[in-house]
mmCIF file of all heavy atoms in Angstrom:
data_model
loop_
_atom_site.group_PDB
_atom_site.id
_atom_site.type_symbol
_atom_site.label_atom_id
_atom_site.label_comp_id
_atom_site.label_asym_id
_atom_site.label_seq_id
_atom_site.Cartn_x
_atom_site.Cartn_y
_atom_site.Cartn_z
ATOM 1 N N GLU O 37 4.176 0.075 15.228
ATOM 2 C CA GLU O 37 3.601 -0.556 16.415
ATOM 3 C C GLU O 37 2.081 -0.566 16.237
ATOM 4 O O GLU O 37 1.433 0.489 16.173
ATOM 5 C CB GLU O 37 3.963 0.231 17.677
ATOM 6 C CG GLU O 37 3.378 -0.386 18.942
ATOM 7 C CD GLU O 37 3.621 0.478 20.169
ATOM 8 O OE1 GLU O 37 4.420 1.436 20.083
ATOM 9 O OE2 GLU O 37 2.991 0.192 21.212
ATOM 10 N N ALA O 38 1.504 -1.760 16.171
ATOM 11 C CA ALA O 38 0.083 -1.902 15.840
ATOM 12 C C ALA O 38 -0.796 -1.775 17.081
ATOM 13 O O ALA O 38 -1.644 -2.621 17.359
ATOM 14 C CB ALA O 38 -0.159 -3.240 15.145
ATOM 15 N N SER O 39 -0.622 -0.697 17.820
ATOM 16 C CA SER O 39 -1.443 -0.469 19.007
ATOM 17 C C SER O 39 -2.796 0.098 18.600
ATOM 18 O O SER O 39 -2.956 0.647 17.504
ATOM 19 C CB SER O 39 -0.743 0.511 19.953
ATOM 20 O OG SER O 39 -0.642 1.799 19.346
ATOM 21 N N TRP O 40 -3.772 -0.009 19.507
ATOM 22 C CA TRP O 40 -5.070 0.601 19.233
ATOM 23 C C TRP O 40 -4.931 2.109 19.069
ATOM 24 O O TRP O 40 -5.537 2.706 18.170
ATOM 25 C CB TRP O 40 -6.063 0.268 20.340
ATOM 26 C CG TRP O 40 -7.333 1.064 20.197
ATOM 27 C CD1 TRP O 40 -7.782 2.080 20.988
ATOM 28 C CD2 TRP O 40 -8.297 0.936 19.139
ATOM 29 N NE1 TRP O 40 -8.966 2.597 20.493
ATOM 30 C CE2 TRP O 40 -9.302 1.913 19.358
ATOM 31 C CE3 TRP O 40 -8.389 0.100 18.026
ATOM 32 C CZ2 TRP O 40 -10.396 2.063 18.511
ATOM 33 C CZ3 TRP O 40 -9.484 0.254 17.176
ATOM 34 C CH2 TRP O 40 -10.471 1.226 17.430
ATOM 35 N N ALA O 41 -4.129 2.747 19.918
ATOM 36 C CA ALA O 41 -3.959 4.196 19.834
ATOM 37 C C ALA O 41 -3.426 4.605 18.463
ATOM 38 O O ALA O 41 -3.900 5.582 17.858
ATOM 39 C CB ALA O 41 -3.027 4.685 20.943
ATOM 40 N N ASN O 42 -2.439 3.880 17.954
ATOM 41 C CA ASN O 42 -1.892 4.203 16.636
ATOM 42 C C ASN O 42 -2.909 3.964 15.528
ATOM 43 O O ASN O 42 -3.015 4.744 14.572
ATOM 44 C CB ASN O 42 -0.637 3.379 16.368
ATOM 45 C CG ASN O 42 0.590 3.953 17.040
ATOM 46 O OD1 ASN O 42 0.595 5.099 17.475
ATOM 47 N ND2 ASN O 42 1.641 3.155 17.139
ATOM 48 N N ASN O 43 -3.674 2.878 15.628
ATOM 49 C CA ASN O 43 -4.673 2.590 14.598
ATOM 50 C C ASN O 43 -5.780 3.634 14.589
ATOM 51 O O ASN O 43 -6.245 4.053 13.521
ATOM 52 C CB ASN O 43 -5.241 1.187 14.801
ATOM 53 C CG ASN O 43 -4.403 0.122 14.121
ATOM 54 O OD1 ASN O 43 -4.642 -0.206 12.962
ATOM 55 N ND2 ASN O 43 -3.425 -0.406 14.837
ATOM 56 N N LEU O 44 -6.202 4.069 15.759
ATOM 57 C CA LEU O 44 -7.236 5.091 15.819
ATOM 58 C C LEU O 44 -6.733 6.412 15.254
ATOM 59 O O LEU O 44 -7.430 7.100 14.496
ATOM 60 C CB LEU O 44 -7.718 5.265 17.262
ATOM 61 C CG LEU O 44 -8.812 6.318 17.472
ATOM 62 C CD1 LEU O 44 -10.036 6.024 16.617
ATOM 63 C CD2 LEU O 44 -9.189 6.392 18.948
ATOM 64 N N LYS O 45 -5.505 6.772 15.603
ATOM 65 C CA LYS O 45 -4.920 8.012 15.078
ATOM 66 C C LYS O 45 -4.844 7.952 13.552
ATOM 67 O O LYS O 45 -5.179 8.922 12.854
ATOM 68 C CB LYS O 45 -3.531 8.217 15.673
ATOM 69 C CG LYS O 45 -2.907 9.571 15.381
ATOM 70 C CD LYS O 45 -1.532 9.690 16.025
ATOM 71 C CE LYS O 45 -1.595 9.534 17.534
ATOM 72 N NZ LYS O 45 -0.251 9.693 18.160
ATOM 73 N N LEU O 46 -4.426 6.789 13.022
ATOM 74 C CA LEU O 46 -4.348 6.629 11.576
ATOM 75 C C LEU O 46 -5.730 6.723 10.941
ATOM 76 O O LEU O 46 -5.907 7.415 9.930
ATOM 77 C CB LEU O 46 -3.703 5.280 11.236
ATOM 78 C CG LEU O 46 -3.676 4.918 9.754
ATOM 79 C CD1 LEU O 46 -2.821 5.914 8.966
ATOM 80 C CD2 LEU O 46 -3.163 3.490 9.561
ATOM 81 N N ALA O 47 -6.718 6.045 11.527
ATOM 82 C CA ALA O 47 -8.066 6.066 10.958
ATOM 83 C C ALA O 47 -8.609 7.482 10.881
ATOM 84 O O ALA O 47 -9.253 7.868 9.883
ATOM 85 C CB ALA O 47 -8.993 5.188 11.793
ATOM 86 N N GLU O 48 -8.357 8.285 11.890
ATOM 87 C CA GLU O 48 -8.851 9.660 11.885
ATOM 88 C C GLU O 48 -8.142 10.496 10.819
ATOM 89 O O GLU O 48 -8.771 11.326 10.150
ATOM 90 C CB GLU O 48 -8.684 10.267 13.277
ATOM 91 C CG GLU O 48 -9.624 9.626 14.303
ATOM 92 C CD GLU O 48 -9.336 10.025 15.739
ATOM 93 O OE1 GLU O 48 -8.209 10.528 16.017
ATOM 94 O OE2 GLU O 48 -10.220 9.816 16.594
ATOM 95 N N LEU O 49 -6.833 10.275 10.640
ATOM 96 C CA LEU O 49 -6.100 10.963 9.576
ATOM 97 C C LEU O 49 -6.654 10.595 8.201
ATOM 98 O O LEU O 49 -6.868 11.458 7.337
ATOM 99 C CB LEU O 49 -4.609 10.608 9.641
ATOM 100 C CG LEU O 49 -3.763 11.234 10.735
ATOM 101 C CD1 LEU O 49 -2.398 10.562 10.791
ATOM 102 C CD2 LEU O 49 -3.611 12.734 10.501
ATOM 103 N N LEU O 50 -6.866 9.305 7.988
ATOM 104 C CA LEU O 50 -7.362 8.827 6.700
ATOM 105 C C LEU O 50 -8.764 9.343 6.425
ATOM 106 O O LEU O 50 -9.093 9.752 5.301
ATOM 107 C CB LEU O 50 -7.355 7.298 6.669
ATOM 108 C CG LEU O 50 -6.009 6.593 6.862
ATOM 109 C CD1 LEU O 50 -6.216 5.087 6.963
ATOM 110 C CD2 LEU O 50 -5.045 6.924 5.733
ATOM 111 N N ASP O 51 -9.614 9.311 7.444
ATOM 112 C CA ASP O 51 -10.997 9.750 7.302
ATOM 113 C C ASP O 51 -11.050 11.224 6.906
ATOM 114 O O ASP O 51 -11.797 11.614 5.997
ATOM 115 C CB ASP O 51 -11.725 9.516 8.624
ATOM 116 C CG ASP O 51 -13.232 9.460 8.473
ATOM 117 O OD1 ASP O 51 -13.715 8.960 7.437
ATOM 118 O OD2 ASP O 51 -13.934 9.891 9.398
ATOM 119 N N ASP O 52 -10.254 12.035 7.562
ATOM 120 C CA ASP O 52 -10.227 13.465 7.252
ATOM 121 C C ASP O 52 -9.707 13.735 5.846
ATOM 122 O O ASP O 52 -10.100 14.724 5.211
ATOM 123 C CB ASP O 52 -9.359 14.211 8.269
ATOM 124 C CG ASP O 52 -10.006 14.311 9.638
ATOM 125 O OD1 ASP O 52 -11.232 14.085 9.737
ATOM 126 O OD2 ASP O 52 -9.286 14.593 10.615
ATOM 127 N N ALA O 53 -8.819 12.868 5.355
ATOM 128 C CA ALA O 53 -8.202 13.088 4.043
ATOM 129 C C ALA O 53 -9.036 12.527 2.898
ATOM 130 O O ALA O 53 -8.688 12.736 1.731
ATOM 131 C CB ALA O 53 -6.807 12.452 4.014
ATOM 132 N N GLY O 54 -10.122 11.815 3.190
ATOM 133 C CA GLY O 54 -10.944 11.246 2.128
ATOM 134 C C GLY O 54 -10.438 9.930 1.584
ATOM 135 O O GLY O 54 -10.850 9.503 0.494
ATOM 136 N N ILE O 55 -9.544 9.247 2.318
ATOM 137 C CA ILE O 55 -9.109 7.902 1.911
ATOM 138 C C ILE O 55 -10.304 6.960 2.035
ATOM 139 O O ILE O 55 -11.124 7.062 2.944
ATOM 140 C CB ILE O 55 -7.920 7.438 2.780
ATOM 141 C CG1 ILE O 55 -6.731 8.380 2.575
ATOM 142 C CG2 ILE O 55 -7.544 5.996 2.457
ATOM 143 C CD1 ILE O 55 -6.188 8.445 1.172
ATOM 144 N N ASP O 56 -10.406 6.010 1.118
ATOM 145 C CA ASP O 56 -11.636 5.237 0.976
ATOM 146 C C ASP O 56 -11.803 4.108 1.989
ATOM 147 O O ASP O 56 -12.924 3.847 2.431
ATOM 148 C CB ASP O 56 -11.703 4.638 -0.436
ATOM 149 C CG ASP O 56 -11.736 5.716 -1.503
ATOM 150 O OD1 ASP O 56 -12.779 6.365 -1.644
ATOM 151 O OD2 ASP O 56 -10.706 5.914 -2.180
ATOM 152 N N PHE O 57 -10.715 3.401 2.329
ATOM 153 C CA PHE O 57 -10.920 2.206 3.146
ATOM 154 C C PHE O 57 -9.662 1.822 3.915
ATOM 155 O O PHE O 57 -8.550 2.274 3.605
ATOM 156 C CB PHE O 57 -11.382 1.029 2.275
ATOM 157 C CG PHE O 57 -10.367 0.522 1.279
ATOM 158 C CD1 PHE O 57 -9.585 -0.602 1.548
ATOM 159 C CD2 PHE O 57 -10.196 1.153 0.052
ATOM 160 C CE1 PHE O 57 -8.664 -1.079 0.632
ATOM 161 C CE2 PHE O 57 -9.268 0.686 -0.881
ATOM 162 C CZ PHE O 57 -8.501 -0.431 -0.588
ATOM 163 N N MET O 58 -9.870 0.990 4.928
ATOM 164 C CA MET O 58 -8.790 0.340 5.665
ATOM 165 C C MET O 58 -9.025 -1.168 5.595
ATOM 166 O O MET O 58 -10.154 -1.637 5.808
ATOM 167 C CB MET O 58 -8.764 0.801 7.124
ATOM 168 C CG MET O 58 -8.471 2.276 7.301
ATOM 169 S SD MET O 58 -8.533 2.786 9.050
ATOM 170 C CE MET O 58 -6.986 2.074 9.680
ATOM 171 N N LEU O 59 -7.968 -1.898 5.299
ATOM 172 C CA LEU O 59 -8.052 -3.355 5.142
ATOM 173 C C LEU O 59 -7.077 -4.019 6.111
ATOM 174 O O LEU O 59 -5.877 -3.732 6.060
ATOM 175 C CB LEU O 59 -7.708 -3.742 3.701
ATOM 176 C CG LEU O 59 -7.672 -5.237 3.372
ATOM 177 C CD1 LEU O 59 -9.051 -5.870 3.517
ATOM 178 C CD2 LEU O 59 -7.146 -5.433 1.943
ATOM 179 N N PRO O 60 -7.565 -4.887 6.993
ATOM 180 C CA PRO O 60 -6.665 -5.561 7.932
ATOM 181 C C PRO O 60 -6.278 -6.959 7.447
ATOM 182 O O PRO O 60 -6.921 -7.533 6.553
ATOM 183 C CB PRO O 60 -7.530 -5.674 9.191
ATOM 184 C CG PRO O 60 -8.907 -5.932 8.631
ATOM 185 C CD PRO O 60 -8.981 -5.149 7.332
ATOM 186 N N ILE O 61 -5.250 -7.506 8.052
ATOM 187 C CA ILE O 61 -4.886 -8.917 7.887
ATOM 188 C C ILE O 61 -5.282 -9.655 9.160
ATOM 189 O O ILE O 61 -5.015 -9.179 10.261
ATOM 190 C CB ILE O 61 -3.376 -9.076 7.626
ATOM 191 C CG1 ILE O 61 -3.013 -8.544 6.234
ATOM 192 C CG2 ILE O 61 -2.939 -10.525 7.767
ATOM 193 C CD1 ILE O 61 -1.533 -8.627 5.898
ATOM 194 N N ALA O 62 -5.944 -10.800 9.007
ATOM 195 C CA ALA O 62 -6.269 -11.648 10.156
ATOM 196 C C ALA O 62 -5.149 -12.662 10.324
ATOM 197 O O ALA O 62 -4.924 -13.495 9.447
ATOM 198 C CB ALA O 62 -7.606 -12.352 9.944
ATOM 199 N N ARG O 63 -4.427 -12.577 11.423
ATOM 200 C CA ARG O 63 -3.304 -13.477 11.704
ATOM 201 C C ARG O 63 -3.476 -14.038 13.100
ATOM 202 O O ARG O 63 -3.933 -13.369 14.018
ATOM 203 C CB ARG O 63 -1.968 -12.725 11.663
ATOM 204 C CG ARG O 63 -1.384 -12.394 10.319
ATOM 205 C CD ARG O 63 -0.545 -13.550 9.743
ATOM 206 N NE ARG O 63 -1.391 -14.566 9.175
ATOM 207 C CZ ARG O 63 -1.859 -14.567 7.940
ATOM 208 N NH1 ARG O 63 -1.551 -13.592 7.124
ATOM 209 N NH2 ARG O 63 -2.634 -15.528 7.508
ATOM 210 N N TRP O 64 -3.047 -15.281 13.279
ATOM 211 C CA TRP O 64 -3.132 -15.928 14.591
ATOM 212 C C TRP O 64 -1.774 -16.426 15.073
ATOM 213 O O TRP O 64 -1.639 -16.864 16.213
ATOM 214 C CB TRP O 64 -4.120 -17.096 14.528
ATOM 215 C CG TRP O 64 -5.452 -16.653 14.028
ATOM 216 C CD1 TRP O 64 -5.950 -16.794 12.758
ATOM 217 C CD2 TRP O 64 -6.447 -15.916 14.753
ATOM 218 N NE1 TRP O 64 -7.185 -16.213 12.655
ATOM 219 C CE2 TRP O 64 -7.525 -15.671 13.864
ATOM 220 C CE3 TRP O 64 -6.531 -15.462 16.061
ATOM 221 C CZ2 TRP O 64 -8.670 -14.985 14.254
ATOM 222 C CZ3 TRP O 64 -7.677 -14.780 16.446
ATOM 223 C CH2 TRP O 64 -8.725 -14.549 15.551
ATOM 224 N N ILE O 65 -0.765 -16.345 14.199
ATOM 225 C CA ILE O 65 0.580 -16.768 14.578
ATOM 226 C C ILE O 65 1.568 -15.996 13.711
ATOM 227 O O ILE O 65 1.300 -15.728 12.536
ATOM 228 C CB ILE O 65 0.739 -18.305 14.405
ATOM 229 C CG1 ILE O 65 2.061 -18.776 14.976
ATOM 230 C CG2 ILE O 65 0.580 -18.724 12.958
ATOM 231 C CD1 ILE O 65 2.176 -20.300 15.055
ATOM 232 N N GLY O 66 2.690 -15.578 14.296
ATOM 233 C CA GLY O 66 3.647 -14.751 13.570
ATOM 234 C C GLY O 66 4.537 -15.553 12.643
ATOM 235 O O GLY O 66 4.496 -16.792 12.596
ATOM 236 N N TYR O 67 5.391 -14.830 11.906
ATOM 237 C CA TYR O 67 6.273 -15.448 10.918
ATOM 238 C C TYR O 67 7.688 -15.692 11.446
ATOM 239 O O TYR O 67 8.584 -16.026 10.674
ATOM 240 C CB TYR O 67 6.344 -14.569 9.666
ATOM 241 C CG TYR O 67 5.071 -14.571 8.869
ATOM 242 C CD1 TYR O 67 4.230 -13.465 8.872
ATOM 243 C CD2 TYR O 67 4.693 -15.677 8.114
ATOM 244 C CE1 TYR O 67 3.054 -13.456 8.135
ATOM 245 C CE2 TYR O 67 3.518 -15.680 7.379
ATOM 246 C CZ TYR O 67 2.702 -14.569 7.394
ATOM 247 O OH TYR O 67 1.525 -14.565 6.669
ATOM 248 N N GLY O 68 7.879 -15.530 12.745
ATOM 249 C CA GLY O 68 9.191 -15.816 13.305
ATOM 250 C C GLY O 68 10.208 -14.749 12.971
ATOM 251 O O GLY O 68 9.893 -13.560 12.888
ATOM 252 N N GLY O 69 11.457 -15.172 12.763
ATOM 253 C CA GLY O 69 12.527 -14.209 12.587
ATOM 254 C C GLY O 69 12.827 -13.510 13.905
ATOM 255 O O GLY O 69 12.288 -13.856 14.959
ATOM 256 N N GLU O 70 13.670 -12.505 13.859
ATOM 257 C CA GLU O 70 14.040 -11.786 15.080
ATOM 258 C C GLU O 70 12.877 -10.964 15.644
ATOM 259 O O GLU O 70 12.795 -10.752 16.860
ATOM 260 C CB GLU O 70 15.240 -10.873 14.811
ATOM 261 C CG GLU O 70 16.536 -11.626 14.527
ATOM 262 C CD GLU O 70 17.707 -10.689 14.370
ATOM 263 O OE1 GLU O 70 17.780 -9.693 15.125
ATOM 264 O OE2 GLU O 70 18.554 -10.937 13.476
ATOM 265 N N THR O 71 11.969 -10.514 14.782
ATOM 266 C CA THR O 71 10.865 -9.657 15.231
ATOM 267 C C THR O 71 9.554 -10.411 15.396
ATOM 268 O O THR O 71 8.580 -9.832 15.864
ATOM 269 C CB THR O 71 10.629 -8.518 14.219
ATOM 270 O OG1 THR O 71 10.192 -9.086 12.958
ATOM 271 C CG2 THR O 71 11.899 -7.707 14.008
ATOM 272 N N ASN O 72 9.515 -11.687 15.014
ATOM 273 C CA ASN O 72 8.249 -12.428 14.928
ATOM 274 C C ASN O 72 7.222 -11.568 14.202
ATOM 275 O O ASN O 72 6.143 -11.261 14.716
ATOM 276 C CB ASN O 72 7.728 -12.851 16.305
ATOM 277 C CG ASN O 72 6.601 -13.871 16.182
ATOM 278 O OD1 ASN O 72 6.490 -14.589 15.184
ATOM 279 N ND2 ASN O 72 5.752 -13.946 17.188
ATOM 280 N N PHE O 73 7.567 -11.206 12.981
ATOM 281 C CA PHE O 73 6.724 -10.362 12.145
ATOM 282 C C PHE O 73 5.274 -10.856 12.154
ATOM 283 O O PHE O 73 5.002 -12.037 11.990
ATOM 284 C CB PHE O 73 7.277 -10.373 10.712
ATOM 285 C CG PHE O 73 6.499 -9.564 9.723
ATOM 286 C CD1 PHE O 73 6.422 -8.191 9.831
ATOM 287 C CD2 PHE O 73 5.863 -10.188 8.654
ATOM 288 C CE1 PHE O 73 5.726 -7.440 8.902
ATOM 289 C CE2 PHE O 73 5.167 -9.443 7.719
ATOM 290 C CZ PHE O 73 5.082 -8.071 7.840
ATOM 291 N N HIS O 74 4.342 -9.935 12.400
ATOM 292 C CA HIS O 74 2.904 -10.225 12.526
ATOM 293 C C HIS O 74 2.597 -11.141 13.703
ATOM 294 O O HIS O 74 1.564 -11.822 13.710
ATOM 295 C CB HIS O 74 2.328 -10.805 11.235
ATOM 296 C CG HIS O 74 2.149 -9.786 10.152
ATOM 297 N ND1 HIS O 74 1.507 -10.065 8.961
ATOM 298 C CD2 HIS O 74 2.528 -8.481 10.068
ATOM 299 C CE1 HIS O 74 1.501 -8.965 8.202
ATOM 300 N NE2 HIS O 74 2.123 -8.002 8.861
ATOM 301 N N GLY O 75 3.439 -11.101 14.694
ATOM 302 C CA GLY O 75 3.143 -11.867 15.904
ATOM 303 C C GLY O 75 2.124 -11.172 16.793
ATOM 304 O O GLY O 75 1.404 -11.812 17.552
#
Side-chain angles (χ1 to χ4, degrees):
E37 180 186 349
S39 66
W40 171 250
N42 280 345
N43 273 270
L44 180 57
K45 189 179 300 182
L46 174 63
E48 291 170 342
L49 285 169
L50 300 173
D51 201 35
D52 288 344
I55 298 299
D56 298 287
F57 66 99
M58 296 177 74
L59 177 65
I61 290 179
R63 283 274 79 86
W64 305 100
I65 188 170
Y67 289 107
E70 292 184 39
T71 65
N72 193 24
F73 179 66
H74 285 187

